[in-house]
Amino acid sequence: MTAGEVFLVVTLAAPALGAAGAALVPARADRLGRLVATVAAALAFLASLALFHRTIPPMPTVPRSRIVPWHQVDLRWAPGLDLRFHIGVDGISYPLVVLTALLTLICCIYTLWAVPAVEVVSPGAQPRSTPPPYIAGRLLAALLLVIEVGILGVFLALDLVLFFVFFEIVLLPMYAVIAGWGGPGRRHAARKFVLYTLAGSVLLLVGVFLVVTRAGTADLVKLSAAHGAGLSSGLQLAAFVLLALAFAVKSPLWPLHTWLPDAHTEAPTVGSVILAGVLLKMGTYGLLRIAVGVLPDGARRVAPVLGVLAVAAILVGGLVCLAQTELKRLIAYSSVGHMGFVLLGIATLNATGIQAALIGNIAHGIITGLLFFLVGAIKDRAHTGEMTQLGGLRERMPRLAGLLGYAAIASLGLPGLAGFWGEAFAVVAALRHGGPLWTVLAVLAAFGGALAAAYFLRLLRRVSHGPVGPAFAGACAPLSAGEVVSWAPLVVLALAVGLVPGVVLWLAHGPVMELVAR
């Protein structure tokens, strides 16, 4: 095996083995189990960095119009069904692989200092937080690693059936994280997450079945090179609609987004970070890599509908955020709007839009992950997320207020920070597409960006400024070492990607041009 192949295997194997090791540690050594998980996450992160191809070939004069992995592992899996364990990485998947490994490592580090308590509500009593004796921190860390395996597998899979398997791996561990360590409504939120995701999985399975049976192969490299040959126009349309609906549930695309606010509100901090930071990207990545990459004719025919729904998500997310009074729900609905810009970029089907979608994915993962960490810190100290009870954070905890302001202006798209590029160039891509419909969509999307500025400034006015609210009347614990260590990489990356977006765009330039050529 080459070094690249070894690192591919280690990227998946390290978190899988780490999850087993952390779960098997005795209950009396719970912190040791969390440490084992953190070491495994660190190994996966280092392996993901090592996947970088130092000699990325220049873009050929004539695009090859197929997936060209930097590294790949192709092994026999089920010979009787002609299925293979085929994984690989290229410039489109690499940034998402590194982001997934980084956020999982940060969350595991965070659990070394803080294991979320479970809020228990008794009839006629006030909510109280208590560490559950039957749930340990090592199990939470182990579940985070299992989720990492599923998400990484989705980004690395070069076989449609393998993609579907990894897509489903994420479901049960995320349900367990929400139901086991979430807030008072955790069980309802977890059930809602499972039901929506299962509905999407059924559609995904049918779509995959249609493509594989008609094309005669599940290999994404072969399917991308075929440019839809062997698949009739009607079948491409039907399969694309099925896949787009499945990925829209995960993205989430309006109006299939209603599971997201409940899941975010009730999930523990690390669960919200993983959910918003990388789990939502499974939907947009699948839409781009599989639905658009394998079914180009279906993509062209459905693109205007996707564009309309994307802009609807931007506007609905912004308007709902203006009415929100709970911090985590506000950040959750803001994700609906931000992912709308990603979907708008994909819907344009041009190089500018796809590049905007890719950098928007990365920026959203960094900034929203940081926002959920900060909101979690505020709720831990104030014991509420209601903005009517908050206020005066700048007076009580100026460092936390400063970080919240930094993350908020990054999320609203201030130039120089990561959130700007994806949103701005999604609008530019829609204008370049041309035509009355896309011009109107570009204008409405730009207005949606202005709504983001309005609701984030409203959040800062209510939480950071004004008189000290009742929730901050008592003593507030200072920032812990675990919080500072966990947040620092995201703070730096939000600025670095904003100042040097070319790092992400350069990696993806060749694969994007090859995708557009299809």
Side-chain angles (χ1 to χ4, degrees):
M1 295 180 71
T2 65
E5 293 170 346
V6 171
F7 290 132
L8 268 177
V9 173
V10 172
T11 301
L12 281 176
L17 295 175
L24 292 174
V25 169
R28 61 180 179 275
D30 187 74
R31 185 175 175 81
L32 175 61
R34 285 176 274 154
L35 183 60
V36 169
T38 303
V39 171
L43 289 175
F45 175 63
L46 293 175
S48 71
L49 292 177
L51 290 173
F52 176 72
H53 199 292
R54 293 180 180 83
T55 56
I56 298 175
M59 184 65 192
T61 305
V62 179
R64 291 164 290 197
S65 65
R66 61 183 174 86
I67 298 173
V68 183
W70 299 346
H71 316 285
Q72 59 183 319
V73 173
D74 191 1
L75 303 173
R76 299 178 68 183
W77 179 22
L81 299 174
D82 193 27
L83 299 179
R84 306 187 68 85
F85 185 84
H86 191 186
I87 59 174
V89 64
D90 67 353
I92 290 178
S93 58
Y94 178 75
L96 291 169
V97 169
V98 174
L99 177 64
T100 302
L102 174 63
L103 285 181
T104 306
L105 173 59
I106 288 173
C107 288
C108 288
I109 292 173
Y110 188 80
T111 63
L112 292 176
W113 277 271
V115 177
V118 175
E119 292 186 25
V120 179
V121 181
S122 302
Q126 293 294 320
R128 59 188 178 87
S129 294
T130 177
Y134 55 91
I135 297 179
R138 72 189 190 285
L139 298 181
L140 173 60
L143 288 170
L144 293 177
L145 292 181
V146 176
I147 294 171
E148 181 184 17
V149 171
I151 298 174
L152 288 174
V154 164
F155 297 147
L156 295 175
L158 291 177
D159 180 278
L160 270 179
V161 176
L162 186 64
F163 176 94
F164 176 78
V165 171
F166 279 121
F167 201 86
E168 295 308 296
I169 285 176
V170 174
L171 179 59
L172 289 180
M174 181 55 75
Y175 169 86
V177 168
I178 298 172
W181 287 268
R186 57 189 179 274
R187 290 182 176 83
H188 170 75
R191 284 194 296 269
K192 195 171 183 179
F193 165 76
V194 166
L195 291 174
Y196 269 79
T197 307
L198 279 177
S201 298
V202 172
L203 297 174
L204 177 60
L205 180 60
V206 176
V208 167
F209 178 79
L210 275 178
V211 173
V212 173
T213 53
R214 292 300 181 91
T217 180
D219 189 271
L220 278 174
V221 176
K222 295 178 182 177
L223 288 169
S224 67
H227 307 166
L231 303 174
S232 67
S233 179
L235 185 137
Q236 284 202 45
L237 177 61
F240 186 90
V241 170
L242 288 169
L243 294 175
L245 286 172
F247 295 135
V249 172
K250 191 74 79 174
S251 294
L253 178 64
W254 180 87
L256 303 175
H257 68 286
T258 54
W259 63 268
L260 183 68
D262 290 337
H264 272 314
T265 302
E266 302 301 336
T269 296
V270 291
S272 293
V273 170
I274 294 296
L275 185 61
V278 285
L279 193 143
L280 301 186
K281 313 306 180 291
M282 294 166 59
T284 51
Y285 175 82
L287 182 64
L288 185 62
R289 173 70 88 192
I290 296 176
V292 173
V294 174
L295 305 164
D297 188 59
R300 283 192 295 270
R301 297 168 68 180
V302 181
V305 178
L306 282 180
V308 170
L309 292 176
V311 171
I314 295 170
L315 296 176
V316 170
L319 292 172
V320 173
C321 282
L322 284 173
Q324 285 301 311
T325 61
E326 207 279 336
L327 279 175
K328 291 191 77 173
R329 292 188 74 86
L330 189 152
I331 305 302
Y333 274 109
S334 76
S335 292
V336 175
H338 291 313
M339 295 308 291
F341 280 101
V342 174
L343 290 162
L344 176 64
I346 295 173
T348 63
L349 299 180
N350 58 43
T352 302
I354 293 174
Q355 288 277 35
L358 294 175
I359 197 168
N361 263 338
I362 301 301
H364 179 265
I366 294 168
I367 297 169
T368 308
L370 177 60
L371 278 169
F372 273 114
F373 269 129
L374 296 172
V375 169
I378 292 172
K379 290 191 69 173
D380 288 343
R381 290 162 173 81
H383 306 293
T384 182
E386 287 295 328
M387 289 191 287
T388 55
Q389 300 296 311
L390 304 173
L393 181 64
R394 185 183 60 175
E395 305 298 328
R396 301 306 309 272
M397 299 192 69
R399 291 183 178 84
L400 182 56
L403 286 172
L404 181 64
Y406 172 81
I409 62 174
S411 188
L412 62 83
L414 185 75
L417 295 173
F420 169 75
W421 298 104
E423 297 184 6
F425 281 97
V427 174
V428 170
L431 289 173
R432 285 186 175 180
H433 191 286
L437 172 64
W438 291 97
T439 301
V440 170
L441 292 180
V443 172
L444 292 176
F447 176 72
L451 290 178
Y455 64 71
F456 271 117
L457 292 175
R458 170 177 170 268
L459 180 152
L460 294 177
R461 180 179 64 83
R462 290 199 173 188
V463 176
S464 295
H465 301 275
V468 176
F472 291 131
C476 294
L479 296 181
S480 67
E483 290 171 327
V484 173
V485 171
S486 300
W487 303 345
L490 302 179
V491 172
V492 173
L493 284 173
L495 179 61
V497 174
L499 294 178
V500 195
V503 174
V504 177
L505 300 179
W506 168 69
L507 289 172
H509 175 70
V512 166
M513 297 309 295
E514 290 161 1
L515 179 63
V516 171
R518 294 175 215 165

